[in-house]
Amino acid sequence: MKSIALVLLIASAYAGAAIPNVAVESAQGQLGPSKFQLHLESSVAEYEGLAGQLFDVENKASNRILEDLIINILEVFRDIVINGNDYIPPLDPLEIEHIGPFQFSVTGLRVTANIRDLRSEGLRWYVIDTVSFNPIRLTVGVHVTLPWFSVACRYDVETRILLVRHRAAGNFRLFIHRIEVGVDLRMGTNLVGGYLTLRELEIKIDVHDTLVHIDGMTGSKLINRFISNLVQSISQDIVQKHIDSLGDFLSVVLFDVINDILQDYTINDILP
């Protein structure tokens, strides 16, 4: 940094050489050695400050290039969510005709269930809140908010308790208000070739509110409403209890995926 300031100072000295000798001589009586040293130090400090500002601007510009690249990747993913590609079907809306059968059994109890005509919506509306990059620590932070998300389907269930059978079929709907996803990752470089590798990955998910509606469990509307209200009352607690586990699961699953992507890039590729 001082070398840059010195170059600028020398350039200004050459510019000052064009001042007539008369002006220089008239100033000699007013500018002694101590004052000249003070003037020189203040000039160096001034040019160092200017060079530092230029360096900060260039550094911020480089960071912004990578941050814009991440934002562009997320926007490309939005197009995949809507239209799909050769490997991923459209995800919003996502429609699946049949899932199942699911079976659950304990002593004296056996349950078989099927999900039909499942439809989920809302994934395309995610908002990219913040994207940050620290070139010194090689960390990237991304925060995304999904304003709403809904899942609706039909179901049929057959329950057998000892010799008693019960069959039920109806509709199920889950509406989630505001899902926030935070992703923090730290990269490093390997010793061979300086290629990037993922050191840490942490995904945090927060669900603000849920609304559950279910019908058809019994032939009584009153009992159905009671069951639906009961499921609604415990849904938020269940979600909050298991949402951290979902974030940890995604962190483990995506760790190797991101590492496979990074292995073809060096630090020079992300520091323009």
Side-chain angles (χ1 to χ4, degrees):
M1 190 71 65
K2 289 187 176 181
S3 62
I4 297 176
L6 185 59
V7 170
L8 294 175
L9 187 61
I10 292 173
S12 67
Y14 274 108
I19 301 176
N21 292 335
V22 177
V24 176
E25 291 175 359
S26 62
Q28 286 179 350
Q30 301 177 6
L31 188 60
S34 60
K35 292 184 178 181
F36 178 78
Q37 179 68 22
L38 180 62
H39 176 70
L40 179 61
E41 290 177 353
S42 62
S43 298
V44 171
E46 179 181 354
Y47 287 119
E48 281 186 342
L50 177 59
Q53 293 176 10
L54 292 174
F55 178 80
D56 290 340
V57 169
E58 182 181 0
N59 190 39
K60 290 178 180 178
S62 299
N63 294 353
R64 191 61 200 173
I65 290 174
L66 182 62
E67 293 168 5
D68 289 341
L69 176 62
I70 296 174
I71 293 175
N72 291 337
I73 291 174
L74 292 174
E75 290 298 338
V76 169
F77 178 71
R78 191 192 305 274
D79 181 71
I80 296 176
V81 167
I82 298 172
N83 301 308
N85 58 20
D86 295 337
Y87 307 99
I88 302 175
L91 301 177
D92 187 17
L94 174 64
E95 297 180 338
I96 302 176
E97 291 185 3
H98 179 229
I99 304 176
F102 303 100
Q103 293 184 341
F104 170 77
S105 61
V106 293
T107 303
L109 173 65
R110 182 175 181 178
V111 179
T112 302
N114 291 277
I115 296 175
R116 306 183 189 276
D117 299 329
L118 183 143
R119 179 184 176 92
S120 65
E121 299 178 87
L123 186 58
R124 70 176 68 187
W125 302 116
Y126 62 83
V127 179
I128 306 169
D129 299 314
T130 57
V131 176
S132 61
F133 171 61
N134 187 324
I136 298 176
R137 300 188 67 245
L138 289 181
T139 58
V140 176
V142 180
H143 190 276
V144 177
T145 298
L146 185 64
W148 63 273
F149 181 75
S150 70
V151 178
C153 67
R154 295 189 301 110
Y155 71 91
D156 59 75
V157 178
E158 180 178 338
T159 304
R160 183 172 181 175
I161 305 176
L162 298 178
L163 299 178
V164 179
R165 289 187 177 183
H166 173 73
R167 294 181 178 178
N171 300 304
F172 174 86
R173 185 170 186 262
L174 170 65
F175 181 87
I176 301 177
H177 172 251
R178 194 175 178 84
I179 304 174
E180 296 187 24
V181 181
V183 180
D184 293 297
L185 61 88
R186 184 175 69 86
M187 297 175 288
T189 56
N190 58 28
L191 298 178
V192 181
Y195 288 95
L196 292 172
T197 181
L198 186 61
R199 302 294 189 195
E200 298 177 5
L201 175 63
E202 182 179 26
I203 299 176
K204 292 291 185 180
I205 304 174
D206 186 25
V207 175
H208 283 239
D209 194 17
T210 59
L211 176 63
V212 177
H213 176 76
I214 184 171
D215 61 37
M217 294 297 294
T218 67
S220 170
K221 292 184 178 180
L222 181 62
I223 297 178
N224 284 335
R225 188 178 300 113
F226 172 79
I227 295 174
S228 183
N229 291 339
L230 177 63
V231 174
Q232 167 62 28
S233 65
I234 64 176
S235 63
Q236 188 66 21
D237 292 337
I238 294 175
V239 168
Q240 292 298 336
K241 183 178 180 179
H242 296 284
I243 200 68
D244 289 339
S245 299
L246 176 60
D248 295 339
F249 171 77
L250 291 175
S251 298
V252 173
V253 170
L254 294 178
F255 188 91
D256 292 335
V257 175
I258 297 176
N259 245 337
D260 290 340
I261 297 174
L262 291 177
Q263 66 181 358
D264 295 327
Y265 294 89
T266 66
I267 192 171
N268 292 328
D269 294 324
I270 65 171
L271 294 176

